[in-house]
Amino acid sequence: MSAYELLRIERDGAVAIVTIDRPEKRNALSAQVRAELIAVLDALRDDDAVRVLVVTGAGDKAFVAGADIGEFAQRTPLEQRAAMTGRRVFDEVAAYPKPVLAMINGLALGGGCELALACDVRLAADTAKLGQPEINLGIIPGGGGTQRLPRVVGTGQAMRLVLSGEIIGAAEALRIGLVDVVHPAAELRERTLEFARGMAGKSPVALRMAKSAVRAAAEMPLAAGLQYETEAFITCFGSDDKREGVAAFLEKRTAEFTGR
């Protein structure tokens, strides 16, 4: 995967670690970074050896400090619309069939916070800082911040962050539900990978169905969501993984899932 100029890809068993490697720019989401992220998602989508993805930033200062402001400083509305047309990395991450974990090792601001919001689980260093400071530039979040953030932390807290541009620490982000787990910075990588390895040991079929069903909860009324869950549950019954999981439970052994 040496074709990526601004990403580093590592394997840890069934876990792929995708590191945005622009520390001199605090890992800002340039157009090239976004395109390479989409390309690596595509490359790993059908790779059965990868069951869980972890996204992080290089260094210890930033996960992603935001968009690359220099790229859009002089754009007209029509130029910006063209730049936002087509596949968008935030939506690609949210819709990805495999679990995607955000390992937030530092600043996650603007587009960086939105990238984390698109991930399925957010694990942060105790030194991390998060926020949507776009209002300070005379603009608003444009990568899902006004939509995913209220669904994660509630309308009031989303309004607080979006309208004020306030940047909050990891402890406050945990309190309001913006991140799910906080670890000491020195332990973040190993604790995150330990969590990811455990998840990667589950049935890939069940992981895919579970992620899809939980995501559906944010989009559907309760009755429709419950029906969606029922259908996903039934779908699992057609898999080899279900048969293996049940057999392993009854035989008191560890299941060996194949993803089929």
Side-chain angles (χ1 to χ4, degrees):
M1 295 192 182
S2 59
Y4 304 108
E5 295 181 7
L6 301 178
L7 301 180
R8 285 190 283 109
I9 315 299
E10 304 167 72
R11 299 287 185 101
D12 183 305
V15 178
I17 305 105
V18 180
T19 302
I20 299 168
D21 194 12
R22 299 184 77 202
E24 75 286 355
K25 294 289 187 179
R26 297 191 300 179
N27 303 319
L29 282 181
S30 64
Q32 183 178 348
V33 169
R34 294 195 301 274
E36 289 190 10
L37 281 171
I38 291 172
V40 79
L41 290 174
D42 288 345
L44 297 177
R45 185 184 305 271
D46 297 322
D47 185 341
D48 292 339
V50 174
R51 296 185 177 183
V52 176
L53 276 64
V54 174
V55 178
T56 193
D60 59 2
K61 302 298 184 185
F63 170 69
V64 171
D68 195 325
I69 295 172
E71 287 191 341
F72 66 73
Q74 302 302 319
R75 282 180 188 159
T76 66
L78 286 177
E79 289 169 339
Q80 186 59 33
R81 181 181 296 278
M84 297 176 77
T85 299
R87 299 176 69 185
R88 304 189 66 198
V89 68
F90 311 101
D91 300 332
E92 295 289 331
V93 169
Y96 203 62
K98 300 179 183 183
V100 183
L101 313 183
M103 185 163 69
I104 305 170
N105 54 309
L107 296 172
L109 307 178
C113 189
E114 290 170 311
L115 180 62
L117 283 166
C119 294
D120 302 309
V121 184
R122 288 165 290 283
L123 304 97
D126 56 2
T127 53
K129 295 184 182 298
L130 302 93
Q132 299 287 168
E134 291 91 342
I135 199 79
N136 297 320
L137 301 178
I139 57 176
I140 70 170
T146 68
Q147 302 303 305
R148 293 192 178 97
L149 186 59
R151 288 169 165 81
V152 170
V153 303
T155 301
Q157 294 291 358
M159 286 289 193
R160 165 196 170 192
L161 295 176
V162 171
L163 299 184
S164 72
E166 180 182 359
I167 296 171
I168 61 175
E172 176 66 1
L174 180 64
R175 186 187 73 81
I176 67 174
L178 180 51
V179 301
D180 305 301
V181 183
V182 173
H183 293 303
E187 301 175 15
L188 178 65
R189 180 181 172 91
E190 185 49 43
R191 298 285 290 274
T192 299
L193 292 182
E194 181 182 8
F195 178 71
R197 291 182 201 114
M199 187 178 291
K202 313 303 182 186
S203 158
V205 174
L207 286 173
R208 185 166 60 251
M209 292 294 103
K211 172 172 177 172
S212 177
V214 174
R215 287 284 182 183
E219 307 292 335
M220 297 180 178
L222 178 59
L226 290 171
Q227 184 59 40
Y228 188 97
E229 178 189 78
T230 296
E231 294 302 323
F233 182 82
I234 293 169
T235 298
C236 291
F237 273 62
S239 71
D240 291 341
D241 278 0
K242 176 264 180 183
R243 288 182 282 276
E244 165 63 10
V246 171
F249 176 82
L250 294 175
E251 296 166 10
K252 296 181 172 55
R253 60 175 174 80
T254 301
E256 297 182 5
F257 296 115
T258 62
R260 292 187 289 274

